[in-house]
Amino acid sequence: MASRYASVSRLPAAAARQWAEKVQHSPASTYDRSRLLLASHAMAHAVHDRLPFLASPPPPPPPARERGRNPSLAEMLRLVGAATVDPAAAADDDGSASVFSLPLPLPLPATPGRDAGAGGSGGGDGECAPVGRSVQFRLAFTGLTYSIRAKQRGGRPGMLPLQRRSDRVTAAAPDAHAPRTRALLDGISGEAREGEILAVMGASGSGKSTLIDALANRISRDALKGAVTLNGEPLTGNILKSISAYVMQDDLLFPMLTVTETLSFAAEFRLPRVLSPAKKRARVQALIDQLGLRAAANTIIGDEGHRGVSGGERRRVSIGTDIIHDPILLFLDEPTSGLDSTSAFMVVKVLRRIAESGSIVITSIHQPSQRILGLLDRLILLSGGRTVFSGTPSALPSYFAEFGFPVPDDENRAEFALDLIREFESSPTGTKPLVDFHRAWQRMHAPSPGSADADQSSLVPTMSLKEAISASISRGKLVSGSDVAGEAASVHTYANPFWVEMKVLTKRSAINTRRMPELFLIRLGAVVVTGAILATVFFRLDQSPKGAQERLGFFAFAMSTMFYTCADALPVFLQERYVFLRETAYGAYRRASYVLSNAIVSFPPLVVLSLSFAFTTFFAVGLAGGVSGFAFYTLAILASFWAGSGFVTFLSGVIPHVMIGYTVVVAILAYFLLFSGFFINRDRIPGYWVWFHYLSLVKYPFEGVLQNEFGRGGECFVRGAQIFDNSPLAALPDAVKARVLASISSALGVGIGADTCVVTGRGVLQQAAVTQLGKWECLLVTVAWGFLFRLFFYFSLVLGSKNKRR
């Protein structure tokens, strides 16, 4: 009887397999095959429920995992105290801290879901955490949905624009009055645990980067629907900035800094303020070894014009700048993009070691190799913003086999999955069969209550988020801004005070600028050449009506040149823009610190440029005033450079494109020169344009140097015989001019001879309508413009660097 039942018990399984093979090779559509496969699974479950005696005997249950009791509070405190390093004992004999003076987090046990082929590659060598450790982080996200307003590209009113094929899953007849939106994420759910790597995979445009941005709080909470929690508590902005890091897809680094300098500056920004410089240097050296960058430690990063590190090393340096503070959460946007297979594998090995040190690593990845796939713990496959697979990478073959498309033995599982998804996206039904099958597969493979898998999946942290962060800091996680000196670690918004940030930023910018002297030398050459040309054209101007007019032209051109030569400051911030966004997005430093350090670094070159131009032109042109006149002339040039650089810096914060920025700068400076008062006097400007005259940056230094040149008194620019210059009477003989002057004198009752002074320097100022402000007032207004534009630059950074999608 037993053998009979045993033979009968194999019938349902055999019949199901035969039916599945028949369905798979049937000429029906993919969608129909999927429905039939789902029906076959449902029939098998129904047979098992209704006729249990026909079912195969259940396999013996796996041995229950031994679970120790939770440690008491006293035991936990002893563990935390044992993991804390005594500063006195951590120092070397010479008193300096060594690499081992920092408490390094212990690796976590190997995750069961990861393939065995990845063993040993993670850097942990199978070491397990000590028994009794209860600190654990669990990041969970449920129902993440994010939509954007779609652009209509033609078609009838009320029609949706052309959809991607992957979006056909939810294509429906839209309401004519409904807003046209497109879902980039549609109900994505999942989780990631401490010590694991969660990889998000999919074709281009599937929503990988959008999901990473949603988890990293780079999408406005008003636009994102769903919940993201850590240990069951929602993440606030300040806490997330302090315990997480985000590595962008592009390697945004300063090209002229070495690997060690780049990581050292990152350590200054992100490590806690209570750590000594020796311990920060030790952390940098330990990280260089962890990233495998020892051979390139003293090599510059490099760019198109300077040879530096390789692409894989550059990517690892970029990761290192964001993990210098050993974050609890690490988000990466396609860290292997653009790398060869070996470099990509090295990068993921680094991520494996980071995860095993006690972090949660969440990364998007595009078509990983088989070796890389073996290093991952969890995998989410997306298509059109929807989940088509969620589980361990080792479950991919069984998943697609049950779907009816088994993975060939000699093919990469990731490549097969992506190719299959692309085929479904190009089919009339889209990826709806995969999405539906994934939901059914998740229900069918949900762990039964009481099993070991259910215990593992239902394991939740026993600590609150604040307690877990504090305990994590105590056992060695160098969370940014953490005060480890107190009894309970507290998280601050910034790791350093304001003045320390300014000092570090100034030092970094100065080093990067000093190693690219060609930029300053080109600017200095342009200023000196312009000054030399002006000096030779306006050489030794005399005190005559023409000399006065030529002085006006010289000052107008010279002051406007100061502003135009500042246009080369436009690309400076544009090149650093994304570095700034990356660093400030997670609280590396304050925006005000960056603005002030930018002004400090840019000021010394302006002094050199001002002195060069002043020495080149003042004495050659023959300007008046002596030493005091030269000093004010130099200060006016310096103030012009200061205001001009502030104006261009502000525009660089508003306009993100170099060519558009240059166009706007040149156009606005031309308007400033037009309304400066040189081409048309203030009292001749139409009333509806006179407001622009007072906004002109060129007006104030121009009027200041005019006051310095003509406002001294005692100088005559028009004498009696010279009143006929620049008129038809200039061709009259001198005898006739003398008789005309005598007639004018008798008519006016004032004696006017050929050498009588008619117009002084103050008269020239009155003719030019330069009478409202004194020269020192003009200088102060010019300097104030420079400060005002840097204030505007700060507000542009505050308003324009939120770095979040809307």
Side-chain angles (χ1 to χ4, degrees):
M1 182 69 67
S3 60
R4 178 181 177 183
Y5 282 147
S7 61
V8 174
S9 64
R10 290 193 296 268
L11 289 177
R17 281 197 302 270
Q18 293 175 1
W19 189 28
E21 292 176 0
K22 182 178 180 180
V23 169
Q24 179 180 348
H25 296 89
S26 65
S29 65
T30 305
Y31 178 58
D32 295 334
R33 290 199 302 270
S34 303
R35 293 182 61 185
L36 292 173
L37 284 171
L38 291 174
S40 67
H41 286 295
M43 183 188 72
H45 278 280
V47 170
H48 180 274
D49 295 337
R50 303 277 180 100
L51 303 173
F53 61 90
L54 292 180
S56 302
R65 184 167 53 90
E66 219 179 88
R67 301 183 63 185
R69 63 178 180 86
N70 289 333
S72 65
L73 180 60
E75 293 172 343
M76 185 179 67
L77 291 177
R78 283 198 299 270
L79 289 173
V80 171
T84 306
V85 175
D86 185 8
D92 292 337
D93 296 336
D94 58 355
S96 62
S98 67
V99 175
F100 304 100
S101 62
L102 288 179
L104 296 178
L106 295 174
L108 296 177
T111 305
R114 196 166 67 251
D115 292 351
S121 60
D125 297 334
E127 297 181 11
C128 297
V131 178
R133 173 184 172 185
S134 60
V135 178
Q136 184 183 16
F137 292 95
R138 176 177 177 269
L139 179 72
F141 48 97
T142 307
L144 294 184
T145 302
Y146 173 59
S147 301
I148 60 173
R149 188 175 298 274
K151 297 180 180 179
Q152 188 173 3
R153 300 181 181 177
R156 293 175 298 176
M159 293 284 291
L160 281 175
L162 182 61
Q163 293 178 314
R164 294 183 303 173
R165 287 176 176 175
S166 58
D167 292 336
R168 292 176 180 171
V169 193
T170 57
D175 185 1
H177 302 286
R180 302 177 181 89
T181 60
R182 183 166 65 90
L184 300 183
L185 298 177
D186 189 2
I188 307 297
S189 300
E191 70 171 15
R193 298 175 183 271
E194 177 184 343
E196 295 182 346
I197 299 179
L198 169 63
V200 183
M201 195 173 69
S204 298
S206 61
K208 302 187 298 296
S209 298
T210 306
L211 178 57
I212 299 296
D213 288 345
L215 299 177
N217 195 29
R218 291 164 63 89
I219 297 179
S220 174
R221 290 302 183 190
D222 297 333
L224 180 66
K225 298 179 181 178
V228 180
T229 60
L230 184 62
N231 286 18
E233 301 180 22
L235 284 172
T236 60
N238 290 336
I239 293 180
L240 184 62
K241 285 183 180 181
S242 299
I243 68 172
S244 67
Y246 185 97
V247 181
M248 296 183 179
Q249 184 174 349
D250 300 323
D251 300 322
L252 307 172
L253 304 168
F254 284 90
M256 302 310 296
L257 299 181
T258 64
V259 172
T260 302
E261 290 171 342
T262 301
L263 296 178
S264 297
F265 283 118
E268 292 291 337
F269 290 134
R270 301 304 297 268
L271 292 188
R273 66 191 73 177
V274 296
L275 286 182
S276 64
K279 288 189 176 181
K280 291 182 179 180
R281 289 192 297 269
R283 170 62 181 165
V284 170
Q285 296 302 320
L287 184 60
I288 288 175
D289 293 331
Q290 182 184 13
L291 297 173
L293 296 171
R294 177 58 59 188
N298 297 319
T299 307
I300 64 171
I301 301 300
D303 56 7
E304 294 81 1
H306 304 85
R307 185 176 179 85
V309 297
S310 66
E313 292 170 337
R314 185 184 181 97
R315 186 63 51 85
R316 279 178 274 162
V317 174
S318 182
I319 295 174
T321 58
D322 287 307
I323 67 169
I324 189 69
H325 61 297
D326 202 0
I328 296 173
L329 297 174
L330 178 60
F331 304 98
L332 304 99
D333 186 10
E334 297 198 14
T336 61
S337 177
L339 301 181
D340 58 85
S341 176
T342 301
S343 299
F345 180 66
M346 292 292 294
V347 169
V348 181
K349 282 182 66 178
V350 169
L351 299 182
R352 179 76 259 153
R353 289 195 289 267
I354 295 171
E356 290 177 349
S357 69
S359 299
I360 299 176
V361 179
I362 302 177
T363 177
S364 59
I365 195 166
H366 183 72
Q367 203 158 338
S369 65
Q370 195 72 20
R371 293 189 301 170
I372 292 178
L373 204 63
L375 296 176
L376 307 178
D377 298 286
R378 297 174 185 267
L379 183 66
I380 294 179
L381 276 173
L382 297 181
S383 175
R386 301 166 186 87
T387 306
V388 295
F389 173 79
S390 178
T392 61
S394 59
L396 279 173
S398 60
Y399 175 80
F400 285 105
E402 293 181 26
F403 183 62
F405 293 86
V407 181
D409 295 335
D410 58 345
E411 189 166 348
N412 186 329
R413 291 170 289 175
E415 293 179 358
F416 175 84
L418 292 177
D419 292 342
L420 182 64
I421 291 173
R422 291 190 184 98
E423 291 181 8
F424 273 94
E425 289 177 349
S426 61
S427 66
T429 58
T431 55
K432 181 175 175 56
L434 265 174
V435 174
D436 293 341
F437 177 75
H438 171 257
R439 294 169 181 167
W441 186 80
Q442 290 279 40
R443 291 193 297 267
M444 286 189 298
H445 290 78
S448 58
S451 64
D453 293 339
D455 293 341
Q456 179 68 22
S457 62
S458 62
L459 185 62
V460 295
T462 58
M463 290 185 177
S464 67
L465 180 57
K466 184 177 180 180
E467 293 172 344
I469 292 175
S470 300
S472 181
I473 294 171
S474 300
R475 62 185 173 86
K477 299 293 284 186
L478 302 175
V479 179
S480 176
S482 302
D483 184 6
V484 297
E487 295 182 359
S490 59
V491 178
H492 301 276
T493 304
Y494 299 100
N496 297 288
F498 178 78
W499 64 272
V500 173
E501 293 175 353
M502 281 187 54
K503 183 182 72 173
V504 176
L505 285 169
T506 302
K507 181 180 179 181
R508 183 178 70 174
S509 298
I511 292 175
N512 194 64
T513 303
R514 187 176 67 248
R515 292 178 181 172
M516 291 190 293
E518 60 273 10
L519 299 180
F520 172 73
L521 293 178
I522 291 175
R523 188 177 182 184
L524 178 62
V527 170
V528 172
V529 169
T530 303
I533 294 175
L534 290 176
T536 54
V537 171
F538 298 96
F539 187 73
R540 294 296 180 183
L541 297 179
D542 57 2
Q543 293 183 353
S544 64
K546 290 184 178 179
Q549 187 63 34
E550 289 166 353
R551 278 177 169 81
L552 293 175
F554 166 76
F555 286 130
F557 191 89
M559 294 301 106
S560 61
T561 300
M562 302 304 102
F563 289 93
Y564 277 108
T565 53
C566 290
D568 67 342
L570 184 68
V572 173
F573 176 70
L574 294 181
Q575 293 174 354
E576 300 179 6
R577 182 184 187 92
Y578 294 104
V579 179
F580 168 82
L581 290 176
R582 185 199 69 192
E583 292 176 338
T584 56
Y586 288 87
Y589 49 80
R590 299 167 179 83
R591 295 173 178 85
S593 303
Y594 179 84
V595 173
L596 290 179
S597 68
N598 177 272
I600 292 172
V601 172
S602 64
F603 188 75
L606 300 183
V607 176
V608 177
L609 296 176
S610 302
L611 290 172
S612 302
F613 188 84
F615 275 112
T616 306
T617 58
F618 185 85
F619 301 103
V621 176
L623 301 179
V627 177
S628 61
F630 173 79
F632 183 86
Y633 177 69
T634 305
L635 290 176
I637 295 173
L638 179 59
S640 300
F641 275 125
W642 170 255
S645 63
F647 170 69
V648 174
T649 302
F650 162 65
L651 287 183
S652 68
V654 176
I655 303 173
H657 302 288
V658 176
M659 295 308 300
I660 298 178
Y662 276 126
T663 303
V664 173
V665 167
V666 171
I668 295 180
L669 290 180
Y671 303 150
F672 286 162
L673 179 60
L674 174 64
F675 290 98
S676 64
F678 171 70
F679 294 102
I680 180 172
N681 290 350
R682 169 177 48 83
D683 50 6
R684 300 281 298 173
I685 299 177
Y688 47 83
W689 279 116
V690 73
W691 59 272
F692 209 116
H693 170 72
Y694 294 100
L695 292 179
S696 172
L697 296 183
V698 183
K699 160 189 165 61
Y700 299 99
F702 174 63
E703 292 186 357
V705 293
L706 288 184
Q707 293 273 8
N708 186 59
E709 181 69 16
F710 296 107
R712 296 181 176 276
E715 297 177 352
C716 185
F717 289 91
V718 179
R719 299 187 180 273
Q722 295 174 335
I723 64 174
F724 303 106
D725 293 351
N726 300 325
S727 71
L729 300 179
L732 294 176
D734 293 340
V736 177
K737 292 179 181 178
R739 289 196 298 270
V740 173
L741 288 175
S743 300
I744 294 175
S745 299
S746 62
L748 298 177
V750 179
I752 300 177
D755 296 328
T756 304
C757 183
V758 178
V759 179
T760 63
R762 298 188 183 278
V764 175
L765 295 177
Q766 291 178 354
Q767 292 177 4
V770 182
T771 57
Q772 290 183 328
L773 299 175
K775 66 176 186 179
W776 293 107
E777 293 172 334
C778 292
L779 181 66
L780 291 177
V781 171
T782 306
V783 173
W785 273 119
F787 282 105
L788 182 62
F789 279 118
R790 280 170 172 81
L791 182 62
F792 289 162
F793 176 56
Y794 168 74
F795 286 118
S796 70
L797 297 184
V798 172
L799 299 177
S801 61
K802 296 297 184 182
N803 207 22
K804 285 188 178 183
R805 306 192 195 186
R806 296 292 177 182

